[in-house]
Structures are given as C-alpha cells and as structure tokens.
Amino acid sequence: VTAHYAAIVIGAGPAGQKAAVCCAKAGRRVLLVDRTVRVGGASVRHGIVPSKTLREVAVTFDKLRRLTGRDVGSPLPEQTPLASLMIRRDAVIDAHEGFMHAKLARNGVELRRAIARFANPREVELHDVHGGQERVSADSYFIATGSSPREPKSVQVDHQHILDSDSILSLTYLPRSLIVLGSGVIASEYASIFSALGVPVTMAHPNLTPLSFLDPDLANFFLGEFSERGGVYLGGVHIEHAAWNGLYGVDVSLSNGSVISADKVLCALGRSANVSGMGLEHAGVHVNERGNVQVDRYFRTSAPHIYAVGDVVGPPSLASTSMEQGRRAAQHALGAPIENNLSTVPSSIFTIPEISSVGLTEAQALEAFGAVRTGTARFSQVARGQISDNITGHLKLVADPGGRVVGAQIAGEGASELVQVAQMAILGRLAVETFVDESMSFPTLAEAFRIAAVDMLQSADDLSPRAQAAE
Ligand SMILES: Cc1cc2nc3c(=O)[nH]c(=O)nc-3n(C[C@H](O)[C@H](O)[C@H](O)COP(=O)(O)OP(=O)(O)OC[C@H]3O[C@@H](n4cnc5c(N)ncnc54)[C@H](O)[C@@H]3O)c2cc1C
C-alpha cells in the first residue's frame, strides 16, 4: 500500500464529487478517482449538458416559429451538421468543468485518473493509462461509478446507424428520420428534441404509453404534444430485431409483425449500473437482482465502511439526487447528523414542453389523508402564458384536507422553474391561501399558483368568505 486516505471516492460524477468535497471540508484526506480525463461524469459528457444544449436550440426554433408565425429554421436543410446546432456545448462543458476543478482544488481533494478495483475490503488497486498499478487504502469508500446505457440482445448498437444516449449526439448530421426504442425519460426527451427540430420521430416500446410512471395527466400531456408535432408512439410492441439494411437506414421488426424503418435508431431501453470489473466480490459488496449496488437508508453497502451513491444504486438516477446522496453518505461517514428525508425532491423531465412534479399526487394524497383538495390553473388563463404562446400547459396543486400544500404536478414550458416554488411551499408547510393573499410579479407564469389556489378554495364545498372573495 503506497498511501492511506480517510476517504477514497470512485467516480467523479455529481455523486462522487459531492461526497469528496464534503469529506475534504471536514479536514479529511480524500482521493477522488475517475477513469476519464474529465470530471463531471455522465452529466457533463453524454448527459445533461449536451442534451440540454441541443434542447435549448430546439425550444428556441419552436418558440420563434410560434411567436412570429414564420417558418424560422424549418425545415432544416438535409445534412445539417448536428454540431452546428450545439455550438455552445464545449463552452458550457469547459465552464462547468473549470468550476468543478476549482472547487476540488480549493478543498484539497486529490484527483487521480485511473480505473479503481477492490483487492479486498480495505484496499483498492488503481490502474492508470500507462499500465501502472498502485495499491491504496482508506477508512471509508464511496462507490459513485454511475451507469451506462443498457444494450438489449435484440438490438446491435453500432454507434453509426443504431446509437445509444452516449453516442447519439456524435452523429455528423441531423438524422432524416429517427426511431426511438424506449418510453422512459431519456427516450422521451430525445424524441421531443429531434421532433421539434423537424425530424420525423417514431417511438416504440412494450409500455402502452410513454412516461407511464407519471401521473396520467402528465403522461397524456407529453403524448398530446408529441403527436401534435407529428411524432408517433407505438405502444404494446416488443422489439424483436433492429439492424441496418445496408442501403438507406435501419429496419426494426416489432412483435406485432410490422417492420418500421428510419435513417437512424436511438436505443434508450434503460441503464445498467457500472459495477463490472470493480472487484466488488472481493470487498463483500452485494449487488441486487436489478444489478444495482444494494444500500441501506444511509447509503451503506453490505460492507458498512463502503458507501454507494448516485446512479449505481438505481432510481431516481438524477444528478440532483445523486449529489444529495453523496452529501448524506459523507455526513454519515463523518458521524454528522443527517437531516430530513429526500421526499420533496422535485423531478423534472426536459421534454418539449417540460414536465415537473414534486411531493404527492392527488391519488397518493387521498391514500395518505383519506381526503384531498386540488386546484388547477391552465397556462391559457395566465397573461404570461398568452404572451409567450405557452398556453397548453397546466399546474395542479394538491393539498391535505387542512389546506396545506403537499404536492404539485406541472406541465408546460417553465415547469422546471415553477416546481421549485411548489417545493418550498411543501417544505414550509404553506397554507394554500398564501398564494391568494400574497402578490406575485406580473406577468409571470407563477401567477398559475394563485389561480390554482383560487380554484381549490372555490371548489363547491368551500364556502368560507375568503374562498368566495378570492377571485
Ligand atoms: C441523456 C441524459 C440526460 C440526462 N438529463 C438529466 C437531467 O436533465 N437532469 C438530471 O438531474 N439528470 C439527468 N441525467 C442523469 C444524470 O446524468 C445522472 O443521474 C448523473 O450523472 C449520475 O451521477 P453519478 O455521479 O451517479 O454517475 P456518473 O455521472 O455516471 O459518473 C460516474 C463516474 O464514474 C467513473 N467510473 C466508472 N467506473 C469507474 C471505475 N471503475 N474507476 C474509476 N472511475 C470509474 C466514470 O468515468 C464517471 O465519470 C441524464 C442522463 C442522460 C444519459
């Protein structure tokens, strides 16, 4: 063993960085290991930053078309270089990475480029790019190795004609047409981004509807908007085979006997935890039947001094929750108290338009309290919604029988910002009347909170003077 640390963190994505900085801030000696040159993990390289940079362009084209009634950038010429639609990508990545490096350096975290592998529960081997090998040890370990796209046997991803979420944005040209295999968040986000850029998109998956884990109102909203743009969702079908036809594109055979074809295919059929080759069996770390590292509520694995955080432990698989898990695991390892649970984490899906939710749905609140109050605002009722032609969305507020806000579901562009207001209302145990009594900036989409609150207070069974006067 060449060195001993208080903590060794494996993986420099959002989860690992947060755990590393937290331990270092407490004065501990910390080593952060990543197999790539760059810090930031999937979120910077293949995930959030590149996909949201392309999305911003798609949303802007879409908005300009609607607001001017002109065919701005539509249809984009055939063979439009994809990179030309993401000219901000490298600048955004560099800025983000510079900020992260400075933070690690400021806190004295040692950064090493190597592949880490457990030799035994107390020691890891670090294999570097030059073939060098070193053995180091630590009091605590944090596995934050993230996840990678899952490749089903029926689909041969060649990264040229059939791509996954790691390779789709390295396409040279905007595809002429696209089949998206999948119905989850990544599948739906890319389907709506390419569709808004004018690409004919077909989604196919065994689930009868896309985003089926969401409140049905929100899932239907996505489907309606996607179909409105000409997108097609084929539900209830299994993907039997997908292969390049050697001539003009990829043929996908479906279980209903039909064959669909497109220029390119995006395979977005889930993600698998990055655990292979890590020697977890030598460390006594158990992996569950879904292939994720098994953890308790403090993110301890079956080896109590080894924590696992982020995508490697499974859903919700978000950058925000990964960071928070990293912070909480570090706090536990440091013996510091852990605060409230993670139940009010907002979840935002960056389809076009956005979809967000936080807290309880109407059905969950009914189950929890035996009764529930709801109020809805349509963005078409809000001046800002009309001004920006953002009128298809809606905001639904959910309250307990005593009128405290317990949840919100929001569909429409701006949802990912509005949801934070709802999150604070839930955390502050705010009475829904507050949205009526206090004034908000006008014209803003936040006015939807007031309209939804009024809707709730004026429901047939609420005859209080305030409810009657609210409008
Ligand atoms: C297309 C796409 C869009 C997304 N959009 C969003 C979004 O809008 N909002 C959101 O919150 N989330 C989004 N996500 C999810 C988000 O990117 C992940 O939840 C997040 O990156 C997980 O963080 P992590 O730290 O657990 O793992 P990762 O970010 O995957 O980082 C893991 C790191 O571990 C390293 N590593 C792996 N094995 C080893 C080893 N043996 N030795 C050394 N290093 C190793 C890897 O190189 C990597 O850098 C998106 C994901 C994708 C793919």
Side-chain angles (χ1 to χ4, degrees), residues 320-394:
S320 51
T321 48
S322 298
M323 282 189 260
E324 195 49 26
Q325 291 174 2
R327 193 175 72 85
R328 280 161 193 251
Q331 273 185 312
H332 189 269
L334 293 165
I338 319 250
E339 307 109 33
N340 64 332
N341 63 31
L342 277 164
S343 65
T344 48
V345 173
S347 127
S348 289
I349 302 177
F350 295 91
T351 43
I352 301 176
E354 298 167 352
I355 293 171
S356 297
S357 57
V358 64
L360 303 182
T361 61
E362 182 175 352
Q364 288 166 337
L366 187 60
E367 201 181 313
F369 306 113
V372 60
R373 300 171 71 183
T374 63
T376 302
R378 314 229 142 257
F379 284 8
S380 57
Q381 296 171 277
V382 180
R384 183 58 179 268
Q386 289 290 348
I387 292 166
S388 38
D389 192 18
N390 181 9
I391 52 175
T392 55
H394 68 266

Side-chain angles (χ1 to χ4, degrees), residues 340 344 404-405 420-431 434:
N340 64 332
T344 48
R404 305 256 164 220
V405 181
Q420 324 291 170
V421 176
Q423 181 191 19
M424 292 306 136
I426 296 170
L427 287 171
R429 300 196 35 75
L430 217 63
T434 316

Side-chain angles (χ1 to χ4, degrees), residues 5-9 19 23 28-32 137-142:
Y5 295 86
I8 293 181
V9 181
C23 291
R28 306 293 201 272
R29 187 179 181 203
V30 182
L31 177 68
L32 175 60
S137 61
D139 300 330
S140 304
Y141 287 92
F142 297 84

Side-chain angles (χ1 to χ4, degrees), residues 107-129:
N107 288 289
V109 174
E110 281 180 47
L111 190 59
R112 185 85 57 88
R113 184 180 180 198
I115 290 180
R117 186 175 174 280
F118 281 94
N120 60 54
R122 293 283 168 189
E123 294 167 1
V124 293
E125 291 164 358
L126 303 180
H127 300 262
D128 69 28
V129 279

Side-chain angles (χ1 to χ4, degrees), residues 239-262:
I239 290 85
E240 309 252 284
H241 185 65
W244 187 50
N245 61 27
L247 198 57
Y248 57 83
V250 183
D251 296 330
V252 179
S253 310
L254 302 174
S255 54
N256 63 4
S258 64
V259 177
I260 53 174
S261 306

